[in-house]
Amino acid sequence: MIEARRLHILRAVADHRTVTAAAAALYLTPSAVSQQLTALEQETGHRLVERSAKGVRLTAAGEILLAHTNAVLAQLERAEAELAAYSSGEAGTVTLASFATGIGLVVAPALTRLAETAPGIRVRVQDAEGDASLPMVLDRQVDVAVAVEYRGAPGADDSRLTRVSLYAEPFDAVLPAGHRAAGSERVPLAELAKDPWIGPFPGNPCHDVVVLACEQAGFQPVLEHTSDDFRAVVALASAGAGVALVPRSALRGMDVAGAVVRPVDGNAPTRRVFAAVRTGAEAHPLISPVLGALGDAAG
């Protein structure tokens, strides 16, 4: 008989590619993870992982078991949801990870709504970049992620996750007040090809949006200054250090003295924001109202 907790470990190893990283995500020691993998191989009668200097990869048998693992764990989530519904599930705690702008734009308004419609549900919020929250959901560190599309993200067809679309927002150009394009109503990105750029660090989903938009405009941006804090990005633009692309919602209420904000001409770069839970958990009586409140807050 295969133990479900060992399937969690197999999936974590497949996701994180190393025993050490999987152990950290699951709050276990690497030796405990290795022991559980060995036990799982004994239970199945197959070698499931291969270790090398570069990490761990699944064997063909491991890939077969992983496909069933995703289905089994989703069904267990559904079972927990039905059991929670049976016992009413009107009170409890839901953990949620979101990037900072998402917290302000949809998470905080959703909490206000839940206080009125489901006062027994307590939501614990963690600030996490858009590329960090999905692994946190898969590793069961949080129940809900408010995330953005990014290169390498689990796709919309990933059977491990259920998504709820929230909103899409354009990026606007932020220019020093004295910039040659400051008087334009809309700014073509190609006009900024030779400017120094200010933007998020590589790995931040917004970095991918900026670089991809510039590549589509025919150039590679020269990132002279990097910060994941959009207030710092705008401050640097105000000081004449360079140009930037910033999500429109991040600019709300921000002091942009010394800079000008202009829409991008043509197809503006856009980030798409969604909520995600482990497949099967969307019907949980605590999680379902949170997803509904997020959707309402996003409008």
Side-chain angles (χ1 to χ4, degrees), residues 78-90 283-286:
R78 294 187 185 100
E80 290 182 7
E82 289 189 19
L83 287 171
Y86 177 76
S87 61
S88 80
E90 294 181 355
H284 193 288
L286 296 178

Side-chain angles (χ1 to χ4, degrees), residues 39-58:
L40 185 58
E41 290 179 329
Q42 292 173 346
E43 288 173 346
T44 60
H46 291 278
R47 187 180 180 187
L48 302 176
V49 297
E50 292 180 346
R51 295 171 173 82
S52 70
K54 295 183 179 180
V56 177
R57 71 177 186 88
L58 298 188

Side-chain angles (χ1 to χ4, degrees), residues 180-197:
R180 62 188 179 281
S184 303
E185 290 188 7
R186 307 181 73 85
V187 177
L189 283 184
E191 288 191 11
L192 309 179
K194 295 183 179 180
D195 285 280
W197 278 74

Side-chain angles (χ1 to χ4, degrees), residues 19-20 23-24 26-35:
V19 168
T20 300
L26 298 173
Y27 300 105
L28 297 171
T29 64
S31 62
V33 169
S34 294
Q35 290 169 7

